[in-house]
């Protein structure tokens, strides 16, 4: 390789490092802002006079949830709120979910075990289950939680207080891990949330955008976590409930966009100390779970998907490679390449502190990014070939 090629290679690497630094500096500012503005649900102070104890319906869709449903239902029944009902819809489970739920049936007055109807062809499973739950719920407030979620005793009380201020809320649970791959991969979801989405703009229009463009771009800042979504029932019916997202794979984000589009108030919280979740039990569930909705989260936009993949490789992979290559070469360039690496680990450390995660897994951040690159390839391949992902024994 002649001198010109070496110089061009060096300049290219330098440009990548500066792009990475700029991106990480900006996203670090977003993360720090979210650190202070994305409140915990447990930070709300109970005010019995303000709450007034209207009926709350805790709605739990369940399909093949034998490993988690007992803990979920038990935690829901232990709420310190005095006026609630728990509705569980058994969505045609083929495992031991039915037998586990049967032990609760007829014993507890405010627990209702419902059997799901066959899914229509034009509905996806979860929206259909939630829709059926909503038809039976009698509460002023509807709280939808996934079967892999469990609640602290104060969760419903805090939720009701939050719903006296907003039409709907969503909570990002504290995620728990039982395997290497869970601890490696799942925190990246929260990393994206905290570094790319200013939480305040979920509630209101983005004020850094010119006023005449704010409404147009406002929906780009809509987000929600389907593991915990709660509504004032009146607002839920205004948006036509889960019927409005009956064939949406990423139904939670779509519901958030509909709420914002109707000028209804939505607020996000984190669930540390209040709401917990273990999303998947092993690597196969992890892969299949993300496979079904990863590309859908980009609205199947291939150029946007590819651009995001390239950006993540440039920001989160190449600085490590460049640092390794320059370690025994240009000392100044090696020091420059350390800046994005330090910023990456700083971002991850803040999230580890917030959610109580093991920081050692943050050291493998590039490995997790590469895992998602492999998932991206598979997701696009599925889409182009028309192959459907399987989840809970159904095509998605």
């Amino acid at each position: 390789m002649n001198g010109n090629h070496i110089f061009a290679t060096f300049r290219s690497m330098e440009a990548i490092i500066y792009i990475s630094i700029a991106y990480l500096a900006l996203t670090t500012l977003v993360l720090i802002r979210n650190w202070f503005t994305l409140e915990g649900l447990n930070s709300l102070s109970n005010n019995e006079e303000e709450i007034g104890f209207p009926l709350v319906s805790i709605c739990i869709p369940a399909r093949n949830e034998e490993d988690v449903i007992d803990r979920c239902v038990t935690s829901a029944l232990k709420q310190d709120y005095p006026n609630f009902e728990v509705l569980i819809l058994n969505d045609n489970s083929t495992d031991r979910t039915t037998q586990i739920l049967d032990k609760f049936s007829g014993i507890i007055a405010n627990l209702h075990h419902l059997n799901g109807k066959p899914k229509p062809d034009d509905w996806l499973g979860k929206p259909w289950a939630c829709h059926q739950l909503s038809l039976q719920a009698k509460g002023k407030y509807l709280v939808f939680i996934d079967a892999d979620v469990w609640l602290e005793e104060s969760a419903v009380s805090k939720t009701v207080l939050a719903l006296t201020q907003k039409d709907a809320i969503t909570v990002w649970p504290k995620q728990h891990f039982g395997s290497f791959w869970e601890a490696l991969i799942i925190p990246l979801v929260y990393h994206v949330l905290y570094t790319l989405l200013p939480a305040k703009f979920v509630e209101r229009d983005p004020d850094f955008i010119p006023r005449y463009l704010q409404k147009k771009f406002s929906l780009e800042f809509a987000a929600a976590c389907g593991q915990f979504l709660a509504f004032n029932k009146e607002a839920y019916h205004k948006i036509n409930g889960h019927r409005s997202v009956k064939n949406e794979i990423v139904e939670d984000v779509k519901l958030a966009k509909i709420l914002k589009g109707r000028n209804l108030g939505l607020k996000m919280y984190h669930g540390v100390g209040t709401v917990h979740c273990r999303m998947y039990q092993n690597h196969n569930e992890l892969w299949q779970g993300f496979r079904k909705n990863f590309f859908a989260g980009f609205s199947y936009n291939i150029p946007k998907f590819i651009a995001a993949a390239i950006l993540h490789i440039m920001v989160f992979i190449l600085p490590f490679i460049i640092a390794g290559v320059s370690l025994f070469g240009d000392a100044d360039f090696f020091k420059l390449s350390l800046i994005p690496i330090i910023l990456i680990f700083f971002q991850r450390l803040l999230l580890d502190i917030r959610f109580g995660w093991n920081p050692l897994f943050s050291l493998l951040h590039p490995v997790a990014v590469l895992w998602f690159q492999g998932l991206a390839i598979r997701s696009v391949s599925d889409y182009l070939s028309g192959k459907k992902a399987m989840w809970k024994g159904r095509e998605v």
Side-chain angles (χ1 to χ4, degrees):
M1 182 179 292
N2 60 36
N4 288 336
H5 286 144
I6 294 174
F7 179 76
T9 301
F10 176 82
R11 297 300 297 178
S12 297
M13 290 193 300
E14 186 178 37
I16 289 170
I17 292 297
Y18 280 118
I19 291 171
S20 181
I21 291 172
Y23 177 90
L24 289 164
L26 178 62
T27 55
T28 297
L29 292 176
V30 175
L31 188 154
I32 292 172
R33 178 175 181 175
N34 281 336
W35 176 273
F36 293 105
T37 59
L38 207 169
E39 303 172 64
L41 189 63
N42 65 343
S43 68
L44 300 177
S45 299
N46 287 346
N47 185 331
E48 294 186 2
E49 292 183 2
E50 186 174 352
I51 290 176
F53 305 126
L55 179 64
V56 175
S57 298
I58 304 174
C59 302
I60 308 170
R63 177 174 170 82
N64 295 346
E65 303 287 2
E66 62 182 7
D67 294 328
V68 296
I69 192 63
D70 194 320
R71 178 174 58 187
C72 176
V73 174
T74 300
S75 74
L77 290 169
K78 290 182 177 180
Q79 295 302 297
D80 61 16
Y81 187 79
N83 189 20
F84 70 94
E85 61 176 358
V86 178
L87 298 92
I88 314 146
L89 185 123
N90 183 3
D91 185 14
N92 300 284
S93 295
T94 58
D95 64 357
R96 293 183 58 255
T97 298
T98 302
Q99 293 92 308
I100 295 169
L101 290 177
D102 281 344
K103 78 177 186 179
F104 292 103
S105 298
I107 300 174
I108 303 168
N110 63 337
L111 176 67
H112 309 286
H113 176 192
L114 312 174
N115 290 313
K117 297 178 181 178
K119 184 183 73 66
D121 291 339
D122 59 339
W123 284 75
L124 290 178
K126 184 177 178 181
W128 173 239
C130 290
H131 172 66
Q132 293 175 81
L133 284 162
S134 72
L135 295 178
Q136 300 299 320
K138 298 180 176 65
K140 176 181 178 181
Y141 298 124
L142 308 180
V143 180
F144 293 93
I145 63 172
D146 283 356
D148 51 15
V149 166
W150 65 99
L151 307 173
E152 297 292 340
E153 292 181 0
S154 63
V156 168
S157 296
K158 303 288 189 181
T159 298
V160 172
L161 183 59
L163 286 172
T164 63
Q165 304 165 24
K166 295 290 181 181
D167 298 297
I169 70 163
T170 186
V171 179
W172 294 84
K174 176 180 177 179
Q175 297 294 337
H176 296 258
F177 316 123
S179 68
F180 169 84
W181 287 104
E182 293 169 67
L184 179 67
I185 299 303
I186 292 174
L188 264 68
V189 176
Y190 282 60
H191 181 261
V192 170
L193 171 73
Y194 266 79
T195 59
L196 292 183
L197 180 66
K200 280 296 180 183
F201 297 147
V202 174
E203 300 178 54
R204 56 183 172 83
D205 293 338
D207 52 16
F208 67 92
I209 294 175
R211 185 176 297 276
Y212 66 92
L213 293 175
Q214 286 180 12
K215 287 297 181 184
K216 180 178 180 181
F217 287 96
S218 179
L219 296 188
E220 297 301 318
F221 294 90
C225 178
Q227 294 165 353
F228 189 110
L229 262 170
F231 301 85
N232 182 306
K233 194 172 189 178
E234 183 178 342
Y236 181 79
H237 287 310
K238 280 183 180 179
I239 64 169
N240 205 19
H242 281 83
R243 184 184 294 277
S244 63
V245 293
K246 65 180 184 178
N247 56 6
E248 296 283 344
I249 294 176
V250 191
E251 87 291 336
D252 45 9
V253 175
K254 184 64 175 180
L255 283 168
K257 290 185 175 182
I258 296 171
L259 283 163
K260 289 199 74 173
R262 295 289 300 273
N263 293 317
L264 295 168
L266 170 67
K267 184 167 183 174
M268 292 199 311
Y269 295 90
H270 70 72
V272 174
T274 314
V275 182
H276 306 267
C277 182
R278 183 181 175 190
M279 294 172 65
Y280 304 113
Q281 302 291 314
N282 52 57
H283 183 264
N284 181 59
E285 283 192 10
L286 185 72
W287 179 265
Q288 296 301 335
F290 280 115
R291 178 184 168 192
K292 68 180 169 49
N293 57 20
F294 190 36
F295 195 22
F298 286 80
S299 302
Y300 303 103
N301 186 319
I302 291 179
K304 184 178 179 180
F305 201 55
I306 293 173
I310 292 172
L311 180 63
H312 275 72
I313 290 171
M314 289 178 62
V315 172
F316 298 111
I317 303 296
L318 292 183
F320 290 88
I321 296 174
I322 292 171
V325 170
S326 61
L327 178 61
F328 303 104
D330 189 320
D332 290 335
F333 192 60
F334 172 72
K335 293 176 183 177
L336 179 67
S337 67
L338 286 180
I339 295 175
I341 294 173
I342 292 170
L343 286 171
I344 292 169
F345 291 148
F346 174 71
Q347 291 182 351
R348 289 297 305 269
L349 179 62
L350 288 182
L351 292 176
D352 292 334
I353 293 171
R354 170 55 52 86
F355 290 99
W357 295 331
N358 185 343
L360 291 178
F361 286 94
S362 294
L363 300 177
L364 298 175
H365 188 89
V367 178
V369 172
L370 286 174
W371 186 92
F372 273 103
Q373 301 305 311
L375 179 68
I377 293 170
R378 182 55 187 267
S379 298
V380 173
S381 174
D382 287 344
Y383 176 74
L384 294 177
S385 65
K387 186 173 183 179
K388 300 286 188 180
M390 295 293 295
W391 186 245
K392 302 293 184 182
R394 284 178 176 152
E395 285 190 345
V396 179

